[in-house]
Amino acid sequence: MKVGIVGSGLVGSTAAYALVMRGIGREIVLVDLNEKRTRAEAADISHAVPFASQQRILAGQYDDLAGARVVILSAGVSQRPGETRMQLLTRNAAVFGQVVPNVLKFAPDAVLVVATNPVDVMTHMAARFAAALGVPSHRVIGSGTTLDTARFRSLLGDRVGVDPHHIHAYVLGEHGDSEVLTWSTAMVGGMRFADFARARGVALDEAMRAEIDSGVRRAAYVIIEGKGSTYYGIGSALARIVDAVLHDQRSILTVCTPAAEVCGVKDVTLSLPRIVGGCGVLEDVAIELDPQEEEALTRSAQLIREAIELIPVST
C-alpha cells in the first residue's frame, strides 16, 4: 500500500517517520519542491527501516504518487512564533491551488489528508479544488483536532492516573483558539470523568479545568515559542489517520471535513467525531453537548466560516 506525502518539511518527514515506526503502508513517497531536502529525508528515514517494519521510503515527483491510497498534504509555510493559524491563511492560500490538482492528476483515487495550517480552512480549500476534479468531499480529511483530542486525553489521564487510551473525551471545532473541550462527554472506563475523578479523590474544580484547558488550547504556542514548530505530535496524529484509512478501521477520530451545516452555520469545515475508514469520512457521530459547549461550538463554526469567506472564489 502506497502513501504519498507532499511537503517534506518537519511535519511531513516526521509523519513519514511515524508511519515507519508503526509499520503503516508498504511504500512511502516524499514529494517537495526542495528535492535535495526530500532526498535527504528519505535517506535518513530509510535508515530506520531495519529497526522497524520492512518498507520502501522514496523521494519522488508527483507522477510517483500513482497508485497511492492516501496522500498527506503538508506543503506550505510554517507558523511563526505568535502567529495564529488563521493568519497563515493568506500565506498558504496559493499553495494548494497547485498541489491538489497535481496530486489528483496522478493519484485520482487517493484520500487526501490535510495537515497544513490553518487546517480547517485549508481542508475546505483542498475539498474545493478536489470537487472541481470530481472528487467528493468525504475523501478530503483534515487532521483537525485529532492532536488536540490526544492532548486533552493525555492531560485527563495524568490527572486521574489512567492510561489515556482508556479516556474518551473530544476536542471539537477549530484546530486553534476557539476549539471546544467537551468536558460533559468525557468518560473513563464507562464512567463519567467527573464521577471517576470524585471516586479517586481528585478535585475537578474550575482551577483544574482551567489548567487543563490552557494545556490543550495553548500547547502549540508554548512549543513554537520554545523550539519554533510542532511536529512529533502532529506527525503521529497523521500516521493514526492514515492507518484508519489504509485498513478501513472505521475509527472514531476528530477530523475535519466539509459539512453542509454545523450548529446552524452552513458550508463549514471543522472537527467533529467522525467514523474514518477506507473511503475517508464515512459518517459523523452525534454527541450531546451541554448548552455552553454547544454555544462555543457555534462560535467556533462562525469564526471558521468568516475565514473561509475571506478566500477569493477564484483561489
Side-chain angles (χ1 to χ4, degrees):
M1 290 180 284
K2 182 186 288 188
V3 178
I5 301 177
V6 179
S8 58
L10 289 171
V11 171
S13 58
T14 305
Y17 179 72
L19 289 169
V20 169
M21 289 295 100
R22 295 187 58 183
I24 300 169
R26 182 67 178 80
E27 183 175 308
I28 300 169
V29 180
L30 301 178
V31 177
D32 196 287
L33 289 174
N34 187 339
E35 296 182 15
K36 184 177 180 180
R37 166 70 180 266
T38 305
R39 289 193 298 271
E41 293 289 3
D44 196 10
I45 296 168
S46 69
H47 299 158
V49 167
F51 305 105
S53 301
Q54 181 55 41
Q55 292 163 292
R56 296 182 68 213
I57 318 299
L58 306 171
Q61 304 295 328
Y62 282 108
D63 57 354
D64 294 304
L65 298 176
R69 289 274 308 281
V70 184
V71 177
I72 295 172
L73 306 183
S74 56
V77 293
S78 299
Q79 187 174 10
R80 295 166 175 165
E83 182 179 43
T84 68
R85 289 176 174 85
M86 288 306 177
Q87 288 171 332
L88 281 174
L89 176 58
T90 301
R91 299 200 297 133
N92 271 330
V95 176
F96 273 30
Q98 300 292 323
V99 169
V100 174
N102 279 323
V103 169
L104 293 175
K105 177 180 179 180
F106 297 102
D109 298 322
V111 171
L112 305 183
V113 178
V114 180
T116 304
N117 277 320
V119 70
D120 311 289
V121 182
M122 297 304 291
T123 301
H124 197 90
M125 293 176 65
R128 179 185 293 177
F129 292 126
L133 299 170
V135 175
S137 63
H138 66 79
R139 277 176 45 201
V140 182
I141 306 173
S143 57
T145 57
T146 306
L147 176 55
D148 308 271
T149 290
R151 289 167 173 160
F152 189 26
R153 293 178 179 182
S154 179
L155 291 173
L156 290 177
D158 285 346
R159 190 55 58 118
V160 296
V162 171
D163 180 348
H165 286 90
H166 301 287
I167 305 287
H168 295 279
Y170 302 107
V171 177
L172 310 180
E174 177 200 6
H175 172 53
D177 297 340
S178 71
E179 64 191 20
V180 182
L181 280 63
T182 60
W183 287 92
S184 69
T185 70
M187 303 283 288
V188 188
M191 292 179 63
R192 293 177 61 250
F193 181 81
D195 295 335
F196 188 89
R198 190 178 303 111
R200 293 180 68 87
V202 176
L204 190 61
D205 54 20
E206 287 303 314
M208 188 272 276
R209 288 186 180 228
E211 181 182 344
I212 290 177
D213 184 282
S214 178
V216 175
R217 197 181 305 274
R218 302 294 301 172
Y221 294 107
V222 173
I223 294 169
I224 290 169
E225 183 180 359
K227 66 173 193 173
S229 60
T230 67
Y231 38 92
Y232 294 123
I234 187 57
S236 297
L238 291 167
R240 177 69 187 92
I241 296 168
V242 170
D243 195 21
V245 174
L246 285 184
H247 298 102
D248 193 23
Q249 291 178 344
R250 312 298 176 100
S251 301
I252 298 177
L253 303 172
T254 51
V255 296
C256 62
T257 198
E261 183 176 337
V262 176
C263 295
V265 180
K266 298 184 183 301
D267 187 25
V268 68
T269 296
L270 50 65
S271 291
L272 298 171
R274 292 183 163 109
I275 300 176
V276 178
C279 297
V281 172
L282 304 182
E283 63 181 275
D284 294 354
V285 177
I287 60 173
E288 187 174 346
L289 305 178
D290 68 25
Q292 287 184 324
E293 292 165 350
E294 190 79 28
E295 182 180 350
L297 185 59
T298 300
R299 288 198 302 270
S300 188
Q302 290 169 339
L303 285 171
I304 295 170
R305 184 60 227 173
E306 289 169 6
I308 290 170
E309 290 173 355
L310 295 176
I311 307 169
V313 175
S314 58
T315 299

